[in-house]
Amino acid sequence: MKYIRILLFFAFVSNAQIQKEQLNLMPWPQNINLTTGTFALSKKFKVNITGNPNPRIFIGATNFLRRLDGRTGLFLEQSFLTKVNESPEAELQINCVRNGKIEINEDESYKLTITSNKITINATSDLGALHGLETLLQLLQNNSTSYYFPTVEITDSPRFTWRGLMIDGARHFQPVDVIKRNLDAMASMKMNVFHWHLADDQGWRIEMKKHPKLTELASDGSYYTQEEIRNIVKYADERGILVIPEIDVPGHASAFLTAYPEVGSKVSDGKVTYEVQRNSGIFNATLDPSNPKTYQLLSEIFDAVCPLFPGAYFHIGGDENNGKEWNANPKIQEFKKKYNLANNHDLQTYFNMQLIPMLKKHNKRLMGWEEIMTENMSKDAIIHAWRGTNEGLSSGGSLIKAAKSGFKTVLSNGYYIDLMLGVEKHYLNDPIPKNSILTPEEKTRILGGEAAMWSELVTPLNIDSRIWPRTAAIAERLWSNEDVTDLNSLHKRLKMISFRLEELGITHLRNKEVILRNISNNQKTAALNDFSNVCEPLKIYTRNGGGKKYRMHSPLTLFADACTADALDVFDFDTAVNNYLENKSQENQILVTNFFKKWITMNSDLIGLSSNAPLVQPLLPLSKSLSDLSQQLLLVIEKKQTANPIILNDLLEQCNSKKNADVELAVYNSLKKLL
Amino acid sequence: MKYIRILLFFAFVSNAQIQKEQLNLMPWPQNINLTTGTFALSKKFKVNITGNPNPRIFIGATNFLRRLDGRTGLFLEQSFLTKVNESPEAELQINCVRNGKIEINEDESYKLTITSNKITINATSDLGALHGLETLLQLLQNNSTSYYFPTVEITDSPRFTWRGLMIDGARHFQPVDVIKRNLDAMASMKMNVFHWHLADDQGWRIEMKKHPKLTELASDGSYYTQEEIRNIVKYADERGILVIPEIDVPGHASAFLTAYPEVGSKVSDGKVTYEVQRNSGIFNATLDPSNPKTYQLLSEIFDAVCPLFPGAYFHIGGDENNGKEWNANPKIQEFKKKYNLANNHDLQTYFNMQLIPMLKKHNKRLMGWEEIMTENMSKDAIIHAWRGTNEGLSSGGSLIKAAKSGFKTVLSNGYYIDLMLGVEKHYLNDPIPKNSILTPEEKTRILGGEAAMWSELVTPLNIDSRIWPRTAAIAERLWSNEDVTDLNSLHKRLKMISFRLEELGITHLRNKEVILRNISNNQKTAALNDFSNVCEPLKIYTRNGGGKKYRMHSPLTLFADACTADALDVFDFDTAVNNYLENKSQENQILVTNFFKKWITMNSDLIGLSSNAPLVQPLLPLSKSLSDLSQQLLLVIEKKQTANPIILNDLLEQCNSKKNADVELAVYNSLKKLL
């Protein structure tokens, strides 16, 4: 009893007033008005819903309760919400004026008010209310013994209406549970568009009841059944997320044409065959735009696929058609002449335009990667801008061009998370940069953006660590005010969001340990973990040797798969180095030299592990380089010895090697500063 | 180059001859003949299949290649196997004489021969070949740079034909991915029966197309669609596993009767209602055996459910009918008299007998928990023995009685893994103990056993840690020779098997960290991990306060959920204590006192954590007790001080408390030895 009394006392005194900057909210809301006071959470806490919402809010509120249960360990008494006004006395009152529609430009705003004894979420639609619940969960605070919310008034709504994530389920198939947990994570970051890439050279992933050949011959047995697709669409709907399917045509069609070679563009000598690709890359297989059968088949496919997706958009890909098969086929060249199509771009526009009525029949608008943007393309099409400096174009240039040309458009250039770049680059990539010269009307054509997770190098084991937490920063860019750009705040909040994503079922942290354990051959993983915190996978598609090194069945259980962008120790080491260079105090020196000592020990531990772990061998050269340089720098810094600059520089450059284990040492630039 | 040469030299010298005892095989094969030599694994390694197998072997062999890829990081060239004799030159040759049938008493034997340049698996059926592939994967060895198999000849077959795992998908719903990963794990342990408990008081989990009320009113939205069930049955078939569905009747029927109260046994006063249970326990809701509508409805349900499961068995539960509703209902009492049914047992037998033809229509035999075993019960029924000393009966007695009475029977008493007992108890629980007096014919009636995972206290987050690795020991008991009982060998091998299960997708290790991180409020988890390694969840249903404390939506993210049976440090500490008591050498003393020091530090770290982690608070009393006693024992052992035995004993007994955080200190018995 005495013990409990002390605890209660503690609880009372330590509900300290929190500052706005201390809140780990993401995406950052438009307006936050913190007041003095707290709302104490108890097991009696209940939710009540009023108004005319879509029933998805009952599921959302029930999930909210279970997440609150799980995080706090409180045995909240309320079980399942199933209708309006079940608990009029509840402390949390949610009012939704009307049923939210899962579509672009829907009202997603909400107002969250927390007073010391009542919480209200008011929203036009249940979609806004769902966002309000996510904000509320992020506001939860605790002292040593209990949980509470700060009193606050938040009004919030998104800057852009299109806040998407694309997952490529075609190259490496991603099962239903991977998709579902990522939908949960998206909803927690207030994202509202899931773009599902469902067919590519490496596989056709949709069950086709009237065209079973597509999965029989071109899926290796891995595809989504129509029921699974409907189930995922429903799951997404319950979380306020629109699902947009993509069937990539006329290129990226190796799998499609493995099943239906007769509509391919290869010159026919009686019997043409295609095969499902096992490597990555851009392949020649392209649908024949001059063959009426092509359109007949596509029309049948759309008739089967469109009804699975109630949303108003259908993505037809349209990217990276290299034109080789078209150029080599005299019949197609003749067709071009006959229809006055000057080049392959025009031919592809002809092809694309045939698809528009097929989709319109199902009330769908055509969306495609930016290559579909030609002069004669219908302005009804949505342009998905993806190319930039990597493709020799200006960053975000296609988006601006699309908006200026009268197209509605969505940005993915700068949001390619498979490039394995650091989070800051994505975070600062604004769809409408401050210096852009666009009319207000042109600006409204920029709907938002989409993180793009291509799956050449991801499996269910490592995909989450490629998507998260970086995509949370993209979600903030698309939701929050354009002035929310403080990088220190981003890093601080992202650290907590990363834990919250695991709480929700994302596996980016837990699966890292699984991969490291395998590499260690089930020995201790501490040294591997230390090394993974300074190594990052090779960036911008340099890992995969032009798509030829890894095949779709290659093991993705290697060290590079455990490493991530934004390796954990890089920021801290760089800060330590900068501080030390500014002020060589004993304290600042120790912060730097501790890293060196850690890396020297780590290297010797890795050597120890390697005697019984073949997968550790490839790491040793780089680990040795880091350890060697650390030893030299320790002598220089601690013992004040002078070192031969040529030798030091040589050691440094060995740390810049990208030849080992598909990783690079992400502390190289910080080390360089010390020389 | 020099570096590589050294490594090659190392590889050459270190392919040391392994001893039989060093192999981490589980279940232990019947015959192992190790010879001198090794088979070196390279990326050229291929598999070829000959004979007349079921196509499941192609999937099994492809999965085998991917697991080998993943573990070794070798880029094996072979992608997908799809037909016989694809690679006649392959180093691994698998021959299956015939298509294996997924049924009891099928031939599952195999012969695995590894020579220095060739591996062969010969089996009557593909089912044996799948087992052979699992053994081969377990045989993989490595030196510092490469992987190899020892040369060996293994002939193997199971001791019992029924080696099952039951998962309760009714109380806490377990989604498809949980079931699938557990089927993978079962197959890796050569288990062949998945018993799927699909309906209970807390939920009806099967989609019913003609009886949608069952899921609409009694599933809270969580159920398996018929397509998902078919998909799981196929997945199991591909792994050589028979799926046996269970619909528990006439008791355990709260959910059933929530949808169809008109066939319940409650005395009707016009309108009877039932409700889905949120707690655990034994409830009154029971089908009315006197009502023809009951049988009509059951017959319709079996007509819908039986075709989903091609196997020859259907489990109708039949347990724990408390008879209260029957006793209170005059109409039912009258019915008993009319049909000369002396008691409720006879009435239930009457009920059960009505189900036999309904199942026979679908070529299914009735199976039920042991309560169905009455004098008049058909000998065609399979008796599932589950009660024992916890229920005031002799351990395994019902099994023997069933066999002697002419029933085929399966043992689960002693294999209730939800009791949270240590692995040794389950491991040494033989279906046919050496002293049993059974005729050879009676012995053949004992088909085998089943681990039983009831789901009152498990969610997808923690269920794997309740099933594994203990179920691997049960699998060995059911497969291997009865003389394979060495506990040291069990513990040694289980440690490696535990890692291998994670490799396969089981989450018992990775999810522990997730739970601890939540408890720590995202602070460091080391101290919590140390404490979890000496704590075990309360055993034999004492955790859940008679089923009333936890509800089906209570958080299972607490410390007890991170803890497991067989806490990791318990065995090591006990060994240290025993050695020290036998010989008080300095060395032996340090091994003991290091534990005390660790626990003292741990306690102070937990106090530190608790200032910002409410969920750590409940652990402090027990952690303090352990720390206090450790301090005293340190003084006694290190400083040779004498301590007041009353005080010491008092501190010890505080370590025996079961009042905190639903856990007990599993080192208590070892500590007691020191006093």
Side-chain angles (χ1 to χ4, degrees):
Chain A
M1 186 58 199
K2 197 174 109 193
Y3 178 72
I4 289 171
R5 220 178 283 145
I6 291 170
L7 291 181
L8 285 176
F9 173 74
F10 221 91
F12 179 73
V13 295
S14 64
N15 267 11
Q17 191 55 34
I18 195 162
Q19 302 300 308
K20 203 196 278 191
E21 299 67 34
Q22 294 173 275
L23 297 173
N24 288 306
L25 296 172
M26 189 171 286
W28 193 255
Q30 305 297 348
N31 289 291
I32 305 174
N33 183 16
L34 262 179
T35 52
T36 312
T38 58
F39 172 101
L41 187 67
S42 81
K43 60 188 292 181
K44 302 270 178 208
F45 179 83
K46 281 202 173 83
V47 186
N48 188 47
I49 293 163
T50 55
N52 296 292
N54 180 291
R56 72 172 70 88
I57 190 64
F58 304 126
I59 295 168
T62 302
N63 289 343
F64 165 84
L65 286 171
R66 292 299 84 75
R67 286 160 70 190
L68 207 51
D69 277 347
R71 191 188 300 173
T72 63
L74 284 170
F75 286 63
L76 298 178
E77 288 167 5
Q78 199 172 13
S79 57
F80 295 86
L81 283 93
T82 56
K83 47 183 182 288
V84 291
N85 224 18
E86 276 177 312
S87 313
E89 79 292 358
E91 292 171 308
L92 169 55
Q93 294 285 334
I94 300 175
N95 185 266
C96 312
V97 178
R98 63 167 174 78
N99 192 323
K101 294 203 184 68
I102 302 294
E103 63 186 21
I104 295 307
N105 289 320
E106 173 59 303
D107 187 329
E108 297 180 82
S109 67
Y110 68 93
K111 180 175 176 179
L112 166 65
T113 310
I114 306 178
T115 67
S116 62
N117 60 6
K118 191 134 204 126
I119 304 176
T120 56
I121 295 177
N122 283 297
T124 307
S125 81
D126 42 85
L127 302 171
L130 289 175
H131 294 320
L133 285 171
E134 295 293 345
T135 302
L136 183 56
L137 266 174
Q138 290 183 353
L139 282 169
L140 187 71
Q141 307 295 317
N142 66 276
N143 53 40
S144 62
T145 58
S146 61
Y147 295 89
Y148 63 93
F149 296 105
T151 56
V152 69
E153 190 175 287
I154 291 177
T155 51
D156 201 10
S157 59
R159 178 172 166 224
F160 291 104
T161 187
W162 190 297
R163 305 176 308 281
L165 168 65
M166 188 220 59
I167 294 181
D168 173 3
R171 290 188 174 79
H172 274 95
F173 181 68
Q174 304 297 331
V176 170
D177 55 314
V178 174
I179 304 298
K180 283 192 175 176
R181 71 188 185 223
N182 277 286
L183 288 169
D184 286 334
M186 285 174 67
S188 79
M189 290 299 119
K190 301 185 171 62
M191 300 177 83
N192 68 339
V193 176
F194 170 49
H195 167 183
W196 201 359
H197 187 79
L198 286 162
D200 213 305
D201 293 297
Q202 295 81 0
W204 179 276
R205 305 300 180 197
I206 314 167
E207 178 192 23
M208 304 298 297
K209 306 225 183 211
K210 289 186 185 159
H211 303 83
K213 275 201 287 181
L214 280 164
T215 51
E216 281 166 19
L217 302 177
S219 80
D220 297 316
S222 292
Y223 59 89
Y224 306 101
T225 68
Q226 297 202 355
E227 181 184 286
E228 284 171 336
I229 291 172
R230 273 193 217 94
N231 184 274
I232 281 174
V233 168
K234 178 168 173 285
Y235 195 87
D237 178 294
E238 288 163 3
R239 282 148 188 81
I241 296 171
L242 169 67
V243 184
I244 295 178
E246 177 183 349
I247 294 179
D248 203 347
V249 287
H252 287 271
S254 303
F256 189 133
L257 295 175
T258 300
Y260 290 98
E262 60 270 30
V263 299
S265 301
K266 250 188 214 172
V267 177
S268 168
D269 57 347
K271 191 164 163 61
V272 173
T273 60
Y274 288 85
E275 58 184 24
V276 173
Q277 294 295 337
R278 303 284 177 225
N279 288 322
S280 310
I282 298 175
F283 301 97
N284 300 339
T286 311
L287 300 184
D288 181 354
S290 73
N291 187 345
K293 276 188 201 161
T294 302
Y295 300 107
Q296 177 58 33
L297 184 55
L298 281 174
S299 176
E300 289 166 15
I301 286 173
F302 289 143
D303 285 349
V305 175
C306 284
L308 303 174
F309 298 92
Y313 302 88
F314 199 107
H315 204 300
I316 57 102
D319 57 319
E320 298 180 323
N321 170 14
N322 66 12
K324 287 186 187 171
E325 288 193 352
W326 288 0
N327 294 338
N329 190 326
K331 195 170 70 79
I332 293 175
Q333 292 308 316
E334 218 169 282
F335 184 85
K336 267 164 72 174
K337 271 186 215 143
K338 184 174 162 194
Y339 286 89
N340 274 325
L341 303 164
N343 50 39
N344 285 345
H345 284 296
D346 288 354
L347 178 56
Q348 188 162 340
T349 302
Y350 172 91
F351 171 87
N352 292 337
M353 292 298 288
Q354 310 308 305
L355 309 190
I356 287 180
M358 298 180 196
L359 294 171
K360 199 164 247 167
K361 179 179 164 192
H362 298 283
N363 294 315
K364 302 248 184 302
R365 285 173 71 166
L366 182 147
M367 177 169 186
W369 300 102
E370 63 180 68
E371 288 95 322
I372 71 165
M373 175 168 55
T374 55
E375 213 179 328
N376 297 321
M377 190 65 202
S378 161
K379 292 291 187 288
D380 263 354
I382 314 279
I383 304 302
H384 196 163
W386 71 277
R387 291 185 298 188
T389 48
N390 291 335
E391 292 75 25
L393 301 172
S394 73
S395 170
S398 317
L399 186 86
I400 302 296
K401 186 180 159 196
K404 286 193 172 294
S405 309
F407 291 101
K408 290 217 163 62
T409 181
V410 170
L411 182 66
S412 275
N413 177 245
Y415 301 139
Y416 265 42
I417 47 183
D418 65 327
L419 295 175
M420 302 308 290
L421 301 170
V423 66
E424 298 183 0
K425 187 161 172 66
H426 302 305
Y427 187 60
L428 299 176
N429 184 55
D430 198 305
I432 309 180
K434 291 216 166 172
N435 61 4
S436 58
I437 36 165
L438 291 169
T439 66
E441 197 192 343
E442 286 164 357
K443 279 188 186 172
T444 64
R445 294 198 190 113
I446 295 178
L447 302 177
E450 257 186 34
M453 181 70 252
W454 299 106
S455 68
E456 280 89 345
L457 293 180
V458 293
T459 67
L461 187 68
N462 72 348
I463 188 170
D464 291 0
S465 74
R466 274 56 188 143
I467 303 179
W468 307 104
R470 289 178 302 154
T471 295
I474 297 172
E476 174 155 293
R477 176 56 43 240
L478 297 171
W479 176 283
S480 304
N481 189 288
E482 62 186 321
D483 295 327
V484 177
T485 53
D486 184 276
L487 294 177
N488 285 326
S489 167
L490 170 74
H491 286 292
K492 178 191 83 72
R493 289 178 293 132
L494 210 49
K495 201 169 170 179
M496 180 55 70
I497 293 299
S498 185
F499 293 134
R500 293 290 178 234
L501 289 164
E502 277 264 323
E503 175 190 290
L504 203 49
I506 291 295
T507 62
H508 60 309
L509 302 177
R510 69 190 91 173
N511 282 358
K512 176 177 178 174
E513 176 66 15
V514 174
I515 302 175
L516 293 182
R517 197 187 300 125
N518 189 57
I519 294 168
S520 78
N521 197 18
N522 304 313
Q523 302 176 86
K524 289 197 192 306
T525 56
L528 281 168
N529 196 48
D530 285 344
F531 198 39
S532 75
N533 288 339
V534 291
C535 289
E536 296 180 1
L538 296 182
K539 299 175 194 305
I540 318 183
Y541 306 144
T542 52
R543 179 176 177 194
N544 195 6
K548 299 272 181 275
K549 184 174 164 189
Y550 286 79
R551 309 185 76 202
M552 288 307 121
H553 51 80
S554 298
L556 290 172
T557 52
L558 305 178
F559 186 64
D561 299 298
C563 294
T564 60
D566 304 307
L568 276 182
D569 282 351
V570 175
F571 185 78
D572 288 348
F573 179 64
D574 193 56
T575 308
V577 167
N578 291 339
N579 290 342
Y580 171 71
L581 291 176
E582 208 168 283
N583 171 5
K584 295 189 176 175
S585 68
Q586 185 65 16
E587 202 178 279
N588 283 346
Q589 177 180 312
I590 286 172
L591 285 172
V592 171
T593 54
N594 276 351
F595 275 103
F596 296 142
K597 289 172 186 169
K598 175 164 141 180
W599 294 333
I600 293 165
T601 309
M602 171 196 85
N603 182 54
S604 95
D605 288 350
L606 287 177
I607 293 169
L609 284 181
S610 74
S611 69
N612 185 27
L615 287 175
V616 174
Q617 298 294 350
L619 319 185
L620 296 181
L622 199 57
S623 156
K624 179 178 185 303
S625 298
L626 180 60
S627 175
D628 287 351
L629 182 60
S630 296
Q631 279 171 340
Q632 289 300 317
L633 288 171
L634 265 186
L635 291 177
V636 173
I637 293 175
E638 277 192 345
K639 312 278 183 196
K640 313 297 176 197
Q641 293 183 11
T642 49
N644 181 334
I646 294 170
I647 292 176
L648 270 188
N649 221 53
D650 194 46
L651 286 173
L652 175 70
E653 285 316 306
Q654 284 174 31
C655 289
N656 197 23
S657 165
K658 297 180 182 179
K659 290 182 186 154
N660 299 298
D662 289 350
V663 296
E664 60 185 56
L665 213 43
V667 286
Y668 167 77
N669 285 322
S670 311
L671 288 167
K672 200 172 182 177
K673 295 180 189 172
L674 288 169
L675 258 61
Chain B
M1 186 57 202
K2 199 174 110 197
Y3 178 73
I4 291 171
R5 220 180 280 144
I6 291 169
L7 290 181
L8 285 175
F9 173 74
F10 220 92
F12 179 74
V13 295
S14 63
N15 268 10
Q17 192 54 36
I18 196 163
Q19 301 298 308
K20 203 195 280 193
E21 298 68 36
Q22 294 172 275
L23 297 173
N24 288 307
L25 296 172
M26 189 172 284
W28 194 255
Q30 305 296 349
N31 289 291
I32 304 174
N33 183 15
L34 262 180
T35 52
T36 312
T38 59
F39 173 101
L41 187 67
S42 80
K43 61 188 292 184
K44 301 272 177 204
F45 181 84
K46 282 203 174 83
V47 187
N48 189 47
I49 294 163
T50 56
N52 297 291
N54 181 290
R56 71 172 70 90
I57 190 65
F58 304 126
I59 295 167
T62 302
N63 289 343
F64 165 84
L65 285 171
R66 293 298 84 77
R67 287 161 69 191
L68 207 51
D69 276 347
R71 192 187 299 172
T72 63
L74 285 170
F75 287 64
L76 299 178
E77 288 166 6
Q78 198 172 14
S79 57
F80 295 86
L81 283 93
T82 56
K83 47 183 184 288
V84 291
N85 224 20
E86 277 176 312
S87 314
E89 78 293 356
E91 290 171 309
L92 169 54
Q93 294 285 334
I94 300 174
N95 185 267
C96 312
V97 178
R98 63 166 173 80
N99 193 323
K101 294 203 183 68
I102 303 292
E103 62 186 22
I104 296 306
N105 289 321
E106 172 59 304
D107 187 328
E108 298 180 83
S109 67
Y110 69 92
K111 180 174 176 179
L112 166 65
T113 310
I114 305 177
T115 66
S116 62
N117 58 7
K118 192 134 204 126
I119 304 177
T120 56
I121 294 176
N122 282 298
T124 307
S125 81
D126 42 86
L127 302 171
L130 288 176
H131 295 320
L133 284 172
E134 295 293 345
T135 302
L136 183 55
L137 266 174
Q138 291 184 350
L139 282 168
L140 188 71
Q141 307 295 319
N142 67 276
N143 52 42
S144 61
T145 57
S146 61
Y147 296 90
Y148 62 93
F149 297 106
T151 57
V152 69
E153 191 175 287
I154 290 178
T155 52
D156 201 10
S157 59
R159 179 174 166 223
F160 291 104
T161 187
W162 191 297
R163 306 176 308 281
L165 168 65
M166 187 220 60
I167 293 180
D168 173 3
R171 290 188 175 80
H172 273 94
F173 181 68
Q174 304 297 332
V176 170
D177 55 314
V178 174
I179 304 297
K180 283 192 174 176
R181 71 189 186 223
N182 276 286
L183 288 169
D184 285 334
M186 286 176 67
S188 79
M189 289 299 120
K190 301 185 172 62
M191 299 178 83
N192 67 339
V193 176
F194 170 50
H195 167 184
W196 201 358
H197 186 79
L198 286 162
D200 213 304
D201 293 296
Q202 295 80 0
W204 179 276
R205 305 300 181 196
I206 313 169
E207 178 192 23
M208 304 298 296
K209 306 222 183 214
K210 289 185 183 158
H211 303 83
K213 276 202 285 183
L214 280 164
T215 51
E216 281 166 19
L217 302 176
S219 78
D220 297 315
S222 293
Y223 59 89
Y224 305 101
T225 68
Q226 296 202 355
E227 181 184 288
E228 284 172 337
I229 291 171
R230 274 193 216 96
N231 183 274
I232 281 174
V233 168
K234 177 168 174 284
Y235 195 87
D237 178 295
E238 287 164 2
R239 283 147 187 81
I241 295 172
L242 170 68
V243 184
I244 295 178
E246 177 182 348
I247 294 178
D248 203 346
V249 287
H252 287 272
S254 303
F256 190 134
L257 295 175
T258 300
Y260 290 97
E262 61 269 32
V263 299
S265 301
K266 251 189 211 170
V267 176
S268 169
D269 56 349
K271 190 165 163 60
V272 172
T273 60
Y274 288 85
E275 58 184 26
V276 173
Q277 294 295 336
R278 303 283 178 223
N279 288 323
S280 308
I282 298 175
F283 302 96
N284 299 340
T286 312
L287 299 184
D288 181 353
S290 73
N291 186 346
K293 278 189 200 160
T294 303
Y295 301 108
Q296 177 59 33
L297 184 55
L298 281 174
S299 175
E300 289 166 13
I301 287 172
F302 290 144
D303 285 350
V305 175
C306 284
L308 304 174
F309 298 93
Y313 302 88
F314 199 106
H315 204 299
I316 57 102
D319 56 320
E320 298 181 323
N321 169 14
N322 66 13
K324 286 187 186 170
E325 287 192 352
W326 288 359
N327 294 338
N329 189 326
K331 195 171 70 81
I332 293 175
Q333 292 308 316
E334 217 169 281
F335 184 87
K336 268 163 71 173
K337 270 188 215 142
K338 182 173 164 196
Y339 286 89
N340 273 324
L341 303 165
N343 51 39
N344 285 346
H345 283 297
D346 287 354
L347 178 57
Q348 189 162 340
T349 303
Y350 172 90
F351 170 87
N352 292 337
M353 293 297 288
Q354 310 307 306
L355 309 190
I356 289 180
M358 298 179 197
L359 294 171
K360 198 164 248 170
K361 178 180 163 193
H362 297 284
N363 294 314
K364 302 251 185 296
R365 285 175 70 166
L366 182 147
M367 177 168 187
W369 299 103
E370 65 181 68
E371 288 96 322
I372 70 165
M373 174 169 57
T374 55
E375 212 179 327
N376 297 322
M377 190 64 202
S378 160
K379 293 290 185 288
D380 263 355
I382 314 280
I383 304 302
H384 197 164
W386 70 277
R387 292 185 296 189
T389 47
N390 291 335
E391 292 76 25
L393 301 171
S394 73
S395 169
S398 316
L399 186 87
I400 302 297
K401 184 180 161 197
K404 284 191 172 298
S405 310
F407 291 101
K408 289 217 162 62
T409 182
V410 171
L411 182 66
S412 276
N413 177 246
Y415 301 138
Y416 265 42
I417 46 182
D418 65 326
L419 295 175
M420 302 308 292
L421 302 171
V423 65
E424 298 184 0
K425 187 160 171 68
H426 302 304
Y427 188 60
L428 299 177
N429 183 54
D430 199 305
I432 309 180
K434 289 216 165 174
N435 61 5
S436 59
I437 36 164
L438 292 168
T439 66
E441 198 191 342
E442 286 163 357
K443 280 187 185 173
T444 64
R445 293 196 190 115
I446 296 178
L447 301 178
E450 257 186 36
M453 181 70 253
W454 298 106
S455 67
E456 280 89 347
L457 293 180
V458 293
T459 66
L461 188 69
N462 72 348
I463 187 170
D464 290 0
S465 74
R466 276 53 188 145
I467 302 178
W468 307 103
R470 290 178 302 155
T471 295
I474 297 173
E476 175 156 292
R477 176 57 43 239
L478 298 171
W479 176 284
S480 305
N481 189 287
E482 61 186 322
D483 295 328
V484 177
T485 52
D486 184 274
L487 294 177
N488 285 327
S489 167
L490 170 73
H491 286 292
K492 178 189 84 70
R493 289 178 293 132
L494 210 50
K495 200 169 171 179
M496 180 54 70
I497 292 300
S498 184
F499 293 133
R500 292 291 178 234
L501 288 164
E502 277 263 324
E503 174 190 290
L504 204 49
I506 291 296
T507 61
H508 61 309
L509 302 177
R510 69 190 92 174
N511 282 358
K512 176 176 178 176
E513 176 66 16
V514 175
I515 302 174
L516 293 182
R517 197 187 301 126
N518 189 57
I519 294 168
S520 78
N521 197 18
N522 304 315
Q523 301 176 87
K524 288 198 191 306
T525 56
L528 280 167
N529 196 48
D530 285 344
F531 198 40
S532 76
N533 288 339
V534 290
C535 289
E536 296 180 0
L538 296 181
K539 300 174 194 304
I540 317 183
Y541 305 143
T542 52
R543 179 177 177 192
N544 194 6
K548 300 271 181 274
K549 183 173 164 189
Y550 285 80
R551 309 186 74 200
M552 288 307 121
H553 52 80
S554 297
L556 291 172
T557 52
L558 305 177
F559 186 65
D561 299 299
C563 294
T564 61
D566 305 306
L568 276 183
D569 282 351
V570 174
F571 184 78
D572 288 347
F573 180 64
D574 194 57
T575 307
V577 166
N578 291 338
N579 290 341
Y580 171 72
L581 292 176
E582 208 168 283
N583 171 4
K584 297 189 176 176
S585 67
Q586 184 66 16
E587 202 178 281
N588 283 345
Q589 178 181 311
I590 287 172
L591 285 172
V592 171
T593 53
N594 277 350
F595 275 102
F596 296 141
K597 289 171 185 170
K598 175 165 141 179
W599 294 331
I600 292 165
T601 309
M602 171 197 85
N603 181 54
S604 95
D605 288 349
L606 287 177
I607 292 169
L609 283 182
S610 74
S611 71
N612 185 27
L615 287 175
V616 174
Q617 300 293 350
L619 318 185
L620 296 182
L622 199 57
S623 156
K624 179 178 186 303
S625 299
L626 181 59
S627 175
D628 288 351
L629 181 60
S630 295
Q631 278 171 340
Q632 289 299 316
L633 288 171
L634 265 187
L635 291 178
V636 173
I637 293 175
E638 276 191 346
K639 312 277 183 199
K640 312 298 176 198
Q641 293 184 9
T642 49
N644 181 333
I646 293 171
I647 292 176
L648 269 188
N649 222 53
D650 194 44
L651 286 173
L652 176 71
E653 286 315 307
Q654 284 173 29
C655 289
N656 197 23
S657 165
K658 296 179 183 181
K659 288 181 188 155
N660 299 297
D662 289 351
V663 296
E664 61 185 55
L665 212 43
V667 286
Y668 167 77
N669 285 321
S670 311
L671 287 166
K672 199 171 184 178
K673 294 179 189 173
L674 287 169
L675 258 61

